[in-house]
Amino acid sequence: MSDQPARWTQATVYPDMWADPNDDPRNSEGASPDGELATLDDFLTNYRMTLRMKCEGLTPEQLARRSVPPSTMSLLGLLRHLAEVERDWRNWITDGEPLPKLYGKRDADFTGAVADQSVVDAAYADLECEQAATDATLAEHPDLGARVGREDIAVRELLVHRIEEYARHCGHADLLRECVDGRVGQ
């Protein structure tokens, strides 16, 4: 008997998918968004949703389960990490004093990801709050070529970097979720 979970999916029409297309909230009917900003926002929204889907239905213990030693990576750690980097990105594009780290010292986003429901609830709340705050700050700069903040970063560069960060961590989340309960898919 192995302690490795068997591979499975909820999809029935396409068994290699996370969910059947009709049940997948990321699938949209109709034309793709018009314009570069709308397209970038659409990709970011879908990656954010993918990360949440990969974490759905798990207990605090499962969310906090680490990948392989010596890594501290877990699904809960990814939620906390992305809240932290949303705050960092907002610090890049503002002229004021930087906001402090959410979780304190370096790597505390991962090392503090413990199997406690209050930590899980806080991680989701922090992520939602930091995403909304960064989105609101970026909405003040609709010109993708504008350079903003102390870092003098182009808005386009920041948006693409956000998509890249979420996409990379969704790949991690795929593997972490499969290790937790065997669920696989897109």
Side-chain angles (χ1 to χ4, degrees):
M1 204 79 213
S2 170
D3 62 350
Q4 294 296 323
R7 291 174 58 108
W8 69 281
T9 178
Q10 287 184 338
T12 57
V13 177
Y14 302 103
D16 62 333
M17 298 178 95
W18 183 262
D20 288 326
N22 290 340
D23 299 328
D24 191 335
R26 299 167 298 178
N27 288 348
S28 59
E29 300 288 325
S32 60
D34 286 331
E36 184 179 7
L37 179 58
T39 300
L40 293 172
D41 283 340
D42 188 57
F43 272 86
L44 180 59
T45 296
N46 282 326
Y47 279 121
R48 285 175 169 175
M49 199 177 311
T50 298
L51 180 69
R52 285 185 174 269
M53 290 170 69
K54 296 294 178 176
C55 295
E56 283 177 351
L58 298 176
T59 66
E61 291 76 18
Q62 290 171 315
L63 286 168
R65 188 174 299 160
R66 303 281 165 78
S67 57
V68 292
S71 176
T72 58
M73 188 178 290
S74 66
L75 289 166
L76 180 56
L78 288 176
L79 294 171
R80 290 167 48 98
H81 172 70
L82 286 163
E84 191 77 75
V85 296
E86 287 282 356
R87 177 170 282 201
D88 287 345
W89 291 325
R90 195 164 70 259
N91 281 335
W92 292 357
I93 59 176
T94 58
D95 293 317
E97 285 297 311
L99 296 167
K101 292 279 197 192
L102 274 175
Y103 304 111
K105 65 181 173 103
R106 181 178 172 88
D107 294 329
D109 41 359
F110 288 104
T111 59
V114 296
D116 181 292
Q117 189 61 52
S118 65
V119 175
V120 171
D121 294 343
Y124 278 111
D126 290 344
L127 181 58
E128 187 174 318
C129 178
E130 295 301 323
Q131 287 172 338
T134 304
D135 290 348
T137 301
L138 276 172
E140 298 170 11
H141 306 285
D143 177 0
L144 293 175
R147 295 200 165 269
V148 297
R150 289 181 315 280
E151 302 288 328
D152 198 35
I153 189 169
V155 172
R156 177 182 292 105
E157 181 183 352
L158 180 61
L159 284 170
V160 170
H161 185 58
R162 288 171 89 197
I163 293 165
E164 176 271 333
E165 184 87 6
Y166 278 91
R168 182 165 46 93
H169 289 313
C170 282
H172 295 132
D174 283 340
L175 297 172
L176 288 163
R177 180 64 188 251
E178 185 175 358
C179 286
V180 167
D181 68 357
R183 186 149 184 214
V184 296
Q186 88 282 18

